[in-house]
Amino acid sequence: GKYNNIIFDKKDNGVVLITLNRPKALNALNQELCTELGDAITNIEKDETVRATVITGSEKAFAAGADIKEMSSMSFMDVYKSGLFGPLEVIPRARKPIIAAVNGYALGGGCELAMMCDFIIAGDKAKFGQPEIKLGTIPGIGGTQRLTRAIGKARAMELTLTGDNMEAEEARQSGLVSRIVPSEQLVEEALKTAQKIASYSSPIVQLAKECVNKSFETTLTEGLNLERRIFQSTFATSDQKEGMSAFSEKRKASFKDE
Ligand code: HXC
């Protein structure tokens, strides 16, 4: 295909499975991989037949971080001018849902990539951490902000300052991941979840996602106002009429994205 570092697998049910594919480097995020991933998400956003995406890695590693070998000799100006990791910014900005299916190591940029997605489903052997401190640097793709919002200051601070990893079970208890499944069922479970989301009205899913995300950006009053207005606006759609009629008529709704 078109990509060297990821596998882009478009299913016929509106779901895309993206597999990070640099097994020899534990899926370390080099610039080419980031560019490809950004390009893939940009295309998904434009493709009306895609309704949900799963990003996964391998059983050993979701991604063991940014590519240390590629970064090690860069100067400030190299890092600054290249907008290193800028291509990944389309992920948190995407309107369509993106699920991270994490097995094995999700460290540094790998943990940050997973946290850029809408939610994380983890295999029982997943490990999360921000080990940048051990390399003489700090998280640079959102780790200090998103991990802290996800699990709270005390533990996020401890993990960021020690570089220690967190196991899947703790990640679930602390709210970083939505649930844990046996490693070997991870991708299948994530695809099933994506398929369920893809069966609903895609624009309504996008509105729901927008409202949840707004809770991180605004006051409660403003967030509640936005939610109420968007809730009201769904009554201008055919899909809301279809969804509620189907319930009354005891049949499955057939959404038209209208
Ligand atoms: C480049 C990496 C890599 C990385 C692993 N590899 N992680 N290469 N960048 N982040 C390579 C190894 O060099 C090795 O290549 C191969 O992958 C297999 O890794 P091993 O270390 O041999 O595997 P193992 O002993 O099982 O240890 C796994 C590991 C360890 C604990 C995950 O690889 C590790 O600590 N990796 C680095 C984790 C890390 O520090 N991540 C944060 C990166 S900084 P060879 O050629 O020797 O076989 C970051 C910054 C983000 O993410 C923000 C920037 C803006």
Side-chain angles (χ1 to χ4, degrees), residues 130 133 143-144 147-148 151-164:
Q130 299 290 161
I133 199 78
T144 62
L147 187 64
T148 307
I151 71 173
K153 180 192 165 184
R155 191 63 174 139
M157 187 69 88
E158 184 174 11
L159 291 173
T160 304
L161 300 190
T162 60
D164 288 347

Side-chain angles (χ1 to χ4, degrees), residues 221-240:
T221 302
E222 286 304 314
L224 291 171
N225 282 340
L226 176 81
E227 181 199 74
R228 183 166 318 135
R229 209 63 74 225
I230 290 186
F231 163 74
Q232 291 160 346
S233 76
T234 64
F235 284 71
T237 68
S238 315
D239 284 343
Q240 175 269 334

Side-chain angles (χ1 to χ4, degrees), residues 24-26 28 60 64-69 71 85 105 107-109 112 131-132 135 140-141:
K24 283 182 192 136
L26 302 185
K60 172 142 195 214
D67 191 316
I68 300 166
K69 292 163 193 170
M71 287 185 299
F85 309 111
Y105 296 109
L107 303 182
E112 293 171 302
E132 287 89 344
L135 302 167
I141 330 175

Side-chain angles (χ1 to χ4, degrees), residues 103-124:
N103 248 333
Y105 296 109
L107 303 182
C111 185
E112 293 171 302
L113 170 60
M115 292 191 294
M116 283 176 153
C117 298
D118 295 307
F119 59 96
I120 303 172
I121 302 176
D124 53 13

